[in-house]
Amino acid sequence: MTPERLSLNTATVSKQWNLRQCVEGCQRHGFGGIAPWRDKLHEAGVGEGARMIKDAGLAVSGLCRGGWYTAEGALTTAVLDDNKRAVDEAVALGAACLVMVVGGLPKGSRDIAGARGIVAEGLAKTLDYARGLDMPIAIEPLHPMYAADRACVNTLSQALDLCDDLGAGIGVALDVYHVWWDPDLAAQVKRAGKDRLLGFHICDWLVPTRDMLTDRGMMGDGVIDLPGIRAMVEATGFRGLNEVEIFSSENWWKRDADEVLTEVVARGRDCC
Amino acid sequence: MTPERLSLNTATVSKQWNLRQCVEGCQRHGFGGIAPWRDKLHEAGVGEGARMIKDAGLAVSGLCRGGWYTAEGALTTAVLDDNKRAVDEAVALGAACLVMVVGGLPKGSRDIAGARGIVAEGLAKTLDYARGLDMPIAIEPLHPMYAADRACVNTLSQALDLCDDLGAGIGVALDVYHVWWDPDLAAQVKRAGKDRLLGFHICDWLVPTRDMLTDRGMMGDGVIDLPGIRAMVEATGFRGLNEVEIFSSENWWKRDADEVLTEVVARGRDCC
């Protein structure tokens, strides 16, 4: 793909660049969009961040992230209010969606069904608020290895069941890293369709993977069939950007960020 | 549960004990059974190993392991012959089943559907041989984090679909470590039923998990709802042993093996 089909998730260069540097980097390398994490956005200031992204002519493929409904063991006003603020920030950015990492098991809990109940209730409340502002909510199913400590929504099928229960205004963000292994992937991407597919994130799964959180690979360095999954996604009619999100403490986070973006563009061209 | 409901998978003390020591340890601690890995069995000699287990009055909850059909990129005589030998060894032991870790992606491949095809074909061939010897084959779905490098059968649903395709003589070995996160677990355990549930393996999922392969927890030290999953399994009519399989390079493999078995018995009593 050409660089204007790419969006830079700021996590990819989170150790090197602040939001302004990310925006300027996206311009220099010809990216079509950006997906800020909220910490970078807060650091820049929401208004100022929104302005610089708009001035740069970048689309916002998503805001990372809302969710974490299980953080306090039960839904609290603090958690719900933070999700409302995330919706407001996504609106300020004109983001395509607010990406939700829903939270794992509450501390000390072994009740994953209970955690999933909290998440469903929290999503319903945030969705109610987001609908009033026309901001789509995107549930990101996370790899099952994060079920305990990051997100208890772990398959596309499960996320779509939630969407079916919750109705209009909610869909999914599909990250190849989390779903590439799923024997039901093709069927569930088709089920999601254009209306429910709100985001598409790319990177690669390395063999071996040396760290469960921060050893993601650059596209082409791992075992994910990126062209195959992209074809599934685009067959639905999805025309959003290809958002590159790579957590890599021992490799890409240690490199010069311009070098990283050069490589992202090359791999986008050759491996996706 | 009482110790006679437990089986010791020899991996739990693989760094401390050979097969004879495992057998004697099981006797000392009152275990009802044992599940040898093939390397330990070969080291002792198959005939001698079978004899010592029989003389000790231990059941064999499973032989670990056959499978690895993708090891050479395509099904080869070497791979198929090794699986036949594994069946023969399971028969020699009077094992309840031969446990299959099916193999991941062939080296250099990104074609997980292709790998799954190789596995299905390999299982069919081994099953054909095993049926003639009345040895049940148990597919062990492995956690999705092992899809690339160990097993491309990653959910109970997927394993049961394979069983449905393959017919009589094949079922599943359910290890809580691999499936605890699955939102479809209860439904799929029920679907498996007594006929397809050939093995039940226990341990725990630690938070954090520091190594993807060798940081399993002792029952009670993690977040898995062991009594809940055991209740699902036993509701099918399953009456097999509770096989304890803990890979733990930094903790349990470093301890005195009798101390490990004492703890297994205590946790079996209090946490399962």
Side-chain angles (χ1 to χ4, degrees), chain A residues 152-259:
Chain A
C152 59
V153 175
N154 304 105
T155 64
L156 184 50
S157 165
Q158 183 192 4
L160 291 171
D161 286 350
L162 273 167
C163 293
D164 287 348
D165 288 345
L166 292 167
I170 192 160
V172 296
L174 194 74
D175 187 317
V176 295
Y177 194 75
H178 299 306
V179 303
W180 74 273
W181 59 271
D182 187 348
D184 205 23
L185 183 60
Q188 295 298 326
V189 167
K190 201 169 168 187
R191 172 186 168 198
K194 194 184 172 183
D195 289 350
R196 296 287 199 199
L197 265 176
L198 303 178
F200 181 51
H201 302 183
I202 56 176
C203 67
D204 215 332
W205 179 279
L206 299 177
V207 178
T209 293
R210 297 182 191 283
D211 184 278
M212 284 171 65
L213 191 59
T214 62
D215 194 24
R216 296 193 188 190
M218 179 65 71
M219 296 80 74
D221 287 346
V223 299
I224 301 179
D225 175 14
L226 289 160
I229 298 180
R230 186 176 163 219
M232 283 179 204
V233 164
E234 296 192 348
T236 67
F238 177 82
R239 293 294 175 266
L241 296 175
N242 297 265
E243 182 178 320
V244 178
E245 186 178 33
I246 303 173
F247 304 160
S248 171
S249 57
E250 297 306 309
N251 186 355
W252 302 102
W253 283 350
K254 288 185 167 173
R255 300 204 193 191
D256 173 79
D258 271 302
E259 184 198 332

Side-chain angles (χ1 to χ4, degrees), chain B residues 67-81 83 102 106 114-126:
Chain B
W68 228 271
Y69 292 107
T70 55
E72 304 191 31
L75 280 184
T76 61
T77 307
V79 166
L80 292 171
D81 283 353
N83 275 290
V102 298
R116 286 165 174 160
I118 294 170
V119 164
E121 196 184 333
L123 284 170
K125 288 188 194 295
T126 305

